[in-house]
Amino acid sequence: MGQSLLEVKDLTIRFGGIAALAGVDLTVEEGELVALIGPNGAGKTTLFNCLCGIYRPDRGEMRFAGHDLRGLRPDAIARLGISRTFQNIELFRNMTALDNILLARHIHMRVGFWDAALATSRWWREEVRHRARAEEILDFLDLQAARHRRVADLPIGQQKLVELGRALALEPKLLLLDEPSSGMTAEEKEDLVFRIKDILEELGITIVLVEHDLKLVMGIAQRVIVLDHGQVIAEGTPAEVQQHPDVIRAYLGEESLS
Amino acid sequence: MELRERYEEDLALVLGLPAWLGLLVALAVLVLFPLLAPRYLVYIVTLMAIHILVAIGLNLLTGYTGQISLGHAGFVAIGAYTAGLLMVRVGVPFPFAFLLSGFSAAFFGFLLGLPVLRLTGPYLTIATLGFGIAVHQVLTNWEGLSGGRMGLFIPKPSIGPWTLASEAALYYLAVGTTGVLTWIAYNLVRSHIGRAFVAIRDSDVAAEVMGVNLMVYKTLAFGLSAFYAGVAGALQGHLLGYIEPQMFTLFESIYYFSMIVVGGLGTIPGSILGAVLMTILPQVLSGLREWLPIVYGGTIIFIMAVEPWGLYGRWLRIKWWLKTWPF
C-alpha cells in the first residue's frame, strides 16, 4: 500500500479536564475530498488547529507527505504545503483583497531584505511575477472587482472567497476548509460547490472540508468522517454514513433511533 | 480615474509626469532652502528631518506591525551615545560612528524584540516603557560610560578633510539621510516585508498559518524601527553638539508617539506630516513649555477619538471627496 498524504494516529489533546480530541485516527489520500462532520464541539476545528501547528497535541502522530508535523511552527507547516481557511474569518482586515492574496505568496518569494529595501530589478521582477499569479486567483474566484478594496468593507460571502483565494495562493498540497459556506447566500453556496470541485480536479489539491451544510457535503464529498466528542464515530461514503446508527444518535439524539 | 495597464504601474512610487515634476520641485526646494532661509529656520527643518526619521521608524513598528512602543527615546539615546562615545572616547571617524549608531540601536531593538515576542497589547507597551526608562537610568547613573548628568560634548562630524560645521552642512547631512531612509521605508512597506508586518498587526494567527515566521518579522520590525531611531539620535547629537540623559526621557517617547498618532498610523506620509507638525508645535507654544505634556496627551486622545487614521487619513478622505464630487 502506498503512503497516504496525511496520516493521523491516536491524536489527543486536552484543555483542562476536557479531551477535545481523544485518540483520533484518520488518513487522507492524495487527490481526495474528505468531509469532516460532527456536532458543535466535536473537535473538528481543534483537529485543524493541531494540523496547522496552532495547538500542540498531547499525544499521537501526524505525518504529512513523509514529514512529521509534531513540534513544527505554523509557518514551517505552511512551507510543507498545508493551507487553510478559518471558521470565523481571519483575514487581514485593513489590507486589500489583492494584498491578502499576495501575502500568502510569502513562502514563494525569492528575494531577501536588501532586494526589497533597495527595490532592485530582481525585486521588481519577483513582485510582478507574484502579482500575475494573484490575478489568476482573483479571476478564478471572480473577485476582480474587489481587488483594491479593503476586505473589511466586503460582504461576508466575498470575504469568505478572499480567504479561500489566500489559502490557494500558498499553492498547498492539502487544503483545510473550515465551514467555507457559512454566512453565504444560497447562490454563493452553489458557486462554491463548483469552485471546490475545480480546486480538486483542475488544481489537483487534496481537500479536507469541515461543513455544517450536510446537503453540500453529501453532494461533493468522496468520503465522510464523523467526529463526536473528539472521536471518530463513523467513516465511509456519504450514503453509508447517513445510515450509520451512531451518526444519527450523535446528530438527533438517542430517541430518534427507536 | 486614470487607467493602469501594467502591474509595474501599481508598484511605482512616483507615477506620471505631474508627480515626477512635483518631486523634482520639492527636491530643488530642499536643496536651495539653506542658501536662502535664515539660520534659525534651517535649524528647525534639520530638527524636522531628525524627527521624521524617528517617526517613520516608530510607525514601522507601531503603525504597520501593531507593536506599541513607548520606549523609543531609549533607542534614540543609544544611537546618540554610540556615535558620541565612539567619536570622543575611541576616536572612530564620523562615517563609521554614524553607521554604527544605527546598528547598535538595531541590536538593542532586536534584543528587546526577543523577550517581548510573547507579549501583546498593554503588556508589550509596559515592557517597552520599562526599556525606555531603564536606558535613561543607566545613562544617568553609569557616569563612567556616559558622563552622567554632566553630559557629553559631541564634535562636529567630518568626512575625510571636510568638517560639517555649518548649519547648512548639518542640514544636508540630516535631510539627505532622512531622504534615503524614507525611500527605503517606502520600498519595504510595498514589498512582502511590509505585507508581513501588516498581516501580523491584523491577525498574527493567520499570518503564521500563511507562512510568515512571527519571530523573524517581529524582531525585524523592532530592529528596523530602532535603527531609524538610532540614526536620528546620532544626528541629534551632532545638531545640538551636546547630549545628556535628560534629553531621552519618557516624555520624549510620548512626544514621538504623538507624532505618528497625529499624522496617521501605518502610513509614511502620515509619519512625515506628524513629525513636521509636532516639531512646529513646541516652537509656536514656546511660551507655554510646562503645558506641552498636556498638549501632547490631549492631542493623542483627541485624534484617537475623532480621526483614528490621523491627519493623513483625513486628507485622503478629502481628496477622495473632491475626486468624486459632486456625487
Side-chain angles (χ1 to χ4, degrees), chain A residues 50-86:
Chain A
C50 288
L51 291 174
C52 290
I54 297 173
Y55 293 161
R56 295 277 158 93
D58 298 324
R59 202 177 70 218
E61 285 174 38
M62 301 180 288
R63 293 192 71 78
F64 173 72
H67 298 274
D68 190 350
L69 296 183
R70 283 175 307 176
L72 292 184
R73 279 191 324 267
D75 57 283
I77 291 175
R79 278 171 195 278
L80 290 179
I82 298 182
S83 185
R84 71 174 286 183
T85 64
F86 293 83

Side-chain angles (χ1 to χ4, degrees), chain A residues 165-179:
Chain A
R166 186 179 68 179
L168 287 175
L170 199 84
E171 292 183 17
K173 295 192 192 94
L174 174 66
L175 181 59
L176 309 174
L177 299 177
D178 201 346
E179 298 194 25

Side-chain angles (χ1 to χ4, degrees), chain A residues 13-239:
Chain A
I13 183 168
R14 293 177 172 279
F15 298 112
I18 298 160
L21 294 175
V24 168
D25 295 297
L26 59 86
T27 56
V28 176
E29 306 298 327
E30 205 163 338
E32 239 189 337
L33 198 173
V34 178
L36 198 59
I37 64 168
N40 285 327
K44 307 180 294 285
T45 299
T46 306
L47 177 64
F48 276 13
N49 284 343
C50 288
L51 291 174
C52 290
I54 297 173
Y55 293 161
R56 295 277 158 93
D58 298 324
R59 202 177 70 218
E61 285 174 38
M62 301 180 288
R63 293 192 71 78
F64 173 72
H67 298 274
D68 190 350
L69 296 183
R70 283 175 307 176
L72 292 184
R73 279 191 324 267
D75 57 283
I77 291 175
R79 278 171 195 278
L80 290 179
I82 298 182
S83 185
R84 71 174 286 183
T85 64
F86 293 83
Q87 185 178 358
N88 306 309
I89 303 167
E90 280 283 348
L91 284 171
F92 310 118
R93 294 174 54 78
N94 297 302
M95 287 184 174
T96 62
L98 175 67
D99 277 345
N100 266 278
I101 287 168
L102 275 173
L103 183 278
R105 301 293 302 165
H106 192 85
I107 60 169
H108 300 290
M109 288 280 166
R110 293 283 167 268
V111 285
F113 177 83
W114 291 109
D115 281 311
L118 303 175
T120 60
S121 59
R122 214 162 60 166
W123 173 81
W124 278 91
R125 277 200 304 277
E126 188 72 356
E127 193 71 16
V128 167
R129 183 167 77 86
H130 290 293
R131 172 67 188 274
R133 193 76 190 81
E135 290 292 337
E136 285 171 27
I137 290 166
L138 287 170
D139 283 348
F140 176 70
L141 296 172
D142 267 330
L143 283 169
Q144 298 93 335
R147 181 186 294 123
H148 288 303
R149 291 185 61 192
R150 182 171 165 263
V151 290
D153 300 334
L154 296 173
I156 296 293
Q158 294 224 321
Q159 290 192 21
K160 283 269 179 189
L161 282 184
V162 175
E163 221 192 17
L164 181 60
R166 186 179 68 179
L168 287 175
L170 199 84
E171 292 183 17
K173 295 192 192 94
L174 174 66
L175 181 59
L176 309 174
L177 299 177
D178 201 346
E179 298 194 25
S181 83
S182 71
M184 282 189 170
T185 64
E187 283 154 15
E188 285 171 335
K189 277 189 191 181
E190 214 168 292
D191 284 347
L192 182 71
V193 170
F194 287 108
R195 291 198 168 110
I196 292 177
K197 278 187 175 164
D198 283 348
I199 292 169
L200 188 72
E201 286 157 15
E202 283 177 28
L203 306 179
I205 297 171
T206 309
I207 298 174
V208 178
L209 172 73
V210 163
E211 183 54 64
H212 273 304
D213 187 328
L214 290 185
K215 215 173 81 191
L216 192 153
V217 167
M218 297 308 172
I220 55 174
Q222 293 153 1
R223 198 152 60 87
V224 180
I225 296 172
V226 190
L227 273 182
D228 189 26
H229 295 299
Q231 284 173 319
V232 176
I233 57 168
E235 195 183 333
T237 63

Side-chain angles (χ1 to χ4, degrees), chain B residues 24-36 171-172 175:
Chain B
L24 279 180
V25 170
L27 285 179
V29 168
L30 281 176
V31 169
L32 294 175
F33 184 76
L35 306 177
L36 306 168
Y171 167 95
Y172 286 124
V175 171

Side-chain angles (χ1 to χ4, degrees), chain B:
Chain B
M1 216 158 86
E2 74 279 21
L3 285 176
R4 296 179 176 179
E5 292 169 355
R6 295 166 63 233
Y7 297 146
E8 282 87 348
E9 294 173 18
D10 266 358
L11 285 173
L13 289 177
V14 188
L15 185 64
L17 192 61
W20 275 110
L21 284 178
L23 184 68
L24 279 180
V25 170
L27 285 179
V29 168
L30 281 176
V31 169
L32 294 175
F33 184 76
L35 306 177
L36 306 168
R39 283 172 63 184
Y40 173 70
L41 277 183
V42 174
Y43 168 84
I44 294 293
V45 175
T46 309
L47 198 60
M48 275 176 190
I50 293 169
H51 286 161
I52 287 170
L53 266 191
V54 185
I56 289 178
L58 182 58
N59 223 339
L60 286 175
L61 181 66
T62 299
Y64 282 92
T65 320
Q67 317 291 309
I68 293 176
S69 166
L70 282 183
H72 250 55
F75 295 124
V76 178
I78 289 171
Y81 273 93
T82 303
L85 290 173
L86 282 178
M87 284 176 75
V88 175
R89 301 265 169 89
V90 192
V92 175
F94 160 76
F96 298 103
F98 188 44
L99 208 59
L100 283 173
S101 68
F103 281 107
S104 82
F107 175 72
F108 280 95
F110 174 76
L111 280 192
L112 179 66
L114 284 179
V116 303
L117 270 180
R118 293 176 174 277
L119 303 178
T120 53
Y123 305 102
L124 172 74
T125 312
I126 290 168
T128 58
L129 187 104
F131 168 78
I133 293 171
V135 170
H136 175 237
Q137 287 299 324
V138 168
L139 291 175
T140 307
N141 294 318
W142 189 356
E143 291 179 358
L145 176 78
S146 68
R149 292 258 165 95
M150 297 291 290
L152 191 70
F153 286 92
I154 310 286
K156 290 289 170 214
S158 56
I159 302 170
W162 301 286
T163 305
L164 309 177
S166 67
E167 262 89 7
L170 284 172
Y171 167 95
Y172 286 124
L173 177 67
V175 171
T177 306
T178 302
V180 170
L181 287 179
T182 304
W183 177 68
I184 287 179
Y186 264 116
N187 287 340
L188 286 174
V189 299
R190 66 183 164 148
S191 75
H192 63 290
I193 292 168
R195 283 194 294 269
F197 285 167
V198 177
I200 290 171
R201 178 192 73 193
D202 282 2
S203 170
D204 53 356
V205 172
E208 214 177 3
V209 168
M210 290 299 134
V212 174
N213 186 326
L214 286 191
M215 194 177 83
V216 167
Y217 281 89
K218 276 191 182 176
T219 48
L220 178 65
F222 266 99
L224 201 59
S225 183
F227 182 89
Y228 277 69
V231 170
L235 287 170
Q236 192 180 319
H238 289 302
L239 180 66
L240 302 176
Y242 171 77
I243 50 176
E244 58 125 345
Q246 273 315 102
M247 294 172 172
F248 311 102
T249 60
L250 174 61
F251 174 69
E252 270 69 31
S253 293
I254 292 173
Y255 178 50
Y256 298 135
F257 191 75
S258 71
M259 290 176 190
I260 60 168
V261 172
V262 167
L265 289 169
T267 69
I268 289 175
S271 318
I272 297 171
L273 189 64
V276 168
L277 286 176
M278 295 310 272
T279 311
I280 295 172
L281 194 66
Q283 309 298 328
V284 175
L285 298 180
S286 56
L288 301 166
R289 278 234 167 266
E290 54 276 29
W291 293 94
L292 279 181
I294 296 175
V295 173
Y296 296 154
T299 314
I300 293 177
I301 294 172
F302 178 76
I303 298 272
M304 286 279 191
V306 176
E307 184 55 87
W309 296 101
L311 291 175
Y312 183 67
R314 178 50 62 100
W315 157 243
L316 283 184
R317 270 197 246 168
I318 293 172
K319 206 166 90 174
W320 186 247
W321 184 80
L322 289 174
K323 228 178 196 175
T324 53
W325 196 82
F327 299 105

